[in-house]
Amino acid sequence: MPKVLITPRSFGKHSDEAKRILIANGYEVVENPYGRILTEEEMKKEIADVDAVIVGIDPLNGEVLSCAKNLKVISKYGVGTDNIDIEFCKGHNIPVTVTRNANSDSVADFTFALMLAIARRVVEIDKSCRALNWGKKASIGVHGKTLGVIGTGAIGRGVIKRACGFEMKILAYDVYPDDEIAQEYDATYVEFETLLKESDFITLHLPATRETTDLLSEKEFSMMKETAVLINTARGELIDEDALYDALKNKRIWGAGLDVFKKEPPEKIELLELENIILGAHAAASSVDAVNKMSLMAVENILANFK
């Protein structure tokens, strides 16, 4: 009986259909026993004798994968594969699949939710009201402002589509510009520095690579408007957290909404003390619809590879 390790905590959380499909097809299911992201040592232990793994952001580097003697397929629960040693997998003929577009709408929704919440100071106002302080807090608008979208894949496109309802001016940056997006949503592809200087809202939708690590650091924050809002629902590695803290603390930008960090929970604990930031627990994709869709697609990818 082939064995499947499932590490994402949200897998099958709202429906047992995906798990039932695996069992019905003769698979033994091993679920995450820790209730959190696994460490490298834990992953080495759990992956040792499995035939397949459905993985979230747990580490699957070469050292971990070398401990998996029976592994035949990796089914990524999501689309980012930066936690997986792809070269190792290619060298050992281990296919890696992703649940493409399963959570795009949910992440785009959450991105816009963070954008609105930071601009209108929703969390701060809520906190004051709970303390029976009904004083008014001035905020900034979203309608008609300039949105800079860095990375125009499925999620970036979804954010652009939503921004059209707010009649925002769309600036975009991508190594591979999409003419269809530019035409359909009247988006303008510009140079990276131009986007940083002219955008009122900046949102990141890129994978973590050697080239994108610390994409936004002190230099980039100094280019932004004092009223700029930064949103990151992609990867924590994209932002230099020390530089972000300085920019927020010294009010060099208006605020930030972060669903991802380099380490989760973040090592830069001072970020939690700031009022002009809203934090997320890597939860942008965790809607009921997206979780069900990702769970089923992750299982389908395993079955397809075994067939």
Side-chain angles (χ1 to χ4, degrees):
M1 177 182 292
K3 183 183 292 189
V4 180
L5 170 65
I6 302 172
T7 67
R9 290 155 290 171
S10 65
F11 178 93
K13 186 175 182 179
H14 308 290
S15 169
D16 65 352
E17 183 180 2
K19 184 178 176 180
R20 284 192 289 106
I21 289 173
L22 280 174
I23 293 171
N25 279 273
Y27 290 82
E28 178 186 349
V29 175
V30 180
E31 297 180 86
N32 183 338
Y34 303 97
R36 54 169 168 73
I37 300 168
L38 277 67
T39 66
E40 285 191 21
E41 291 306 312
E42 290 165 349
M43 202 66 182
K44 287 177 183 178
K45 174 186 173 185
E46 299 299 330
I47 205 171
D49 63 343
V50 304
D51 300 275
V53 59
I54 295 175
V55 67
I57 58 174
D58 315 84
L60 280 182
N61 55 34
E63 191 174 337
V64 171
L65 288 170
S66 64
C67 297
K69 305 305 180 185
N70 300 327
L71 192 62
K72 300 173 182 66
V73 60
I74 296 170
S75 180
K76 171 70 181 192
Y77 185 76
V79 293
T81 57
D82 40 285
N83 60 315
I84 303 170
D85 189 331
I86 298 297
E87 292 305 313
F88 181 99
C89 293
K90 287 179 181 177
H92 292 77
N93 296 316
I94 302 171
V96 179
T97 67
V98 297
T99 55
R100 192 169 303 283
N101 296 333
N103 63 10
S104 298
D105 281 326
S106 291
V107 178
D109 283 350
F110 200 82
T111 297
F112 227 90
L114 288 175
M115 195 185 306
L116 287 164
I118 284 292
R120 299 309 308 270
R121 302 174 70 178
V122 172
V123 174
E124 290 180 66
I125 292 170
D126 175 82
K127 184 179 179 181
S128 293
C129 289
R130 292 173 189 272
L132 300 181
N133 178 358
W134 246 247
K136 300 294 185 285
K137 291 182 181 291
S139 59
I140 56 176
V142 176
H143 180 266
K145 297 296 178 65
T146 298
L147 173 65
V149 181
I150 302 175
T152 53
I155 297 170
R157 184 188 187 117
V159 173
I160 290 171
K161 184 177 181 180
R162 286 154 177 77
C164 290
F166 285 78
E167 298 184 328
M168 301 183 83
K169 176 184 177 181
I170 309 298
L171 300 182
Y173 174 81
D174 200 299
V175 177
Y176 302 103
D178 188 326
D179 292 336
E180 183 182 324
I181 289 177
Q183 292 174 7
E184 185 173 358
Y185 300 108
D186 196 24
T188 303
Y189 279 93
V190 296
E191 295 297 322
F192 184 62
E193 291 188 0
T194 301
L195 184 148
L196 296 179
K197 292 175 181 177
E198 297 185 7
S199 297
D200 299 299
F201 297 85
I202 298 170
T203 179
L204 302 176
H205 303 287
L206 298 170
T209 65
R210 187 178 304 170
E211 292 74 24
T212 62
T213 295
D214 289 341
L215 181 71
L216 298 185
S217 194
E218 184 177 358
K219 175 187 174 183
E220 288 71 32
F221 286 117
S222 69
M223 296 180 187
M224 298 179 190
K225 297 180 180 181
E226 287 187 359
T227 53
V229 171
L230 173 65
I231 306 297
N232 187 11
T233 54
R235 286 291 183 265
E237 288 81 359
L238 303 179
I239 298 176
D240 178 336
E241 292 175 0
D242 289 330
L244 172 64
Y245 174 77
D246 288 340
L248 291 171
K249 184 175 177 60
N250 296 309
K251 305 296 174 63
R252 289 203 294 272
I253 64 173
W254 175 268
L258 305 183
D259 187 49
V260 289
F261 299 87
K262 290 184 176 180
K263 294 281 183 67
E264 297 175 359
E267 287 186 337
K268 187 70 177 177
I269 204 72
E270 296 92 334
L271 286 168
L272 280 62
E273 301 167 1
L274 299 174
E275 284 197 335
N276 55 345
I277 186 172
I278 293 179
L279 312 175
H282 211 128
S286 297
S287 70
V288 172
D289 293 338
V291 166
N292 288 343
K293 195 181 294 185
M294 283 195 296
S295 299
L296 287 170
M297 195 177 292
V299 166
E300 290 166 1
N301 287 340
I302 284 179
L303 297 180
N305 274 276
F306 269 86
K307 287 178 182 177

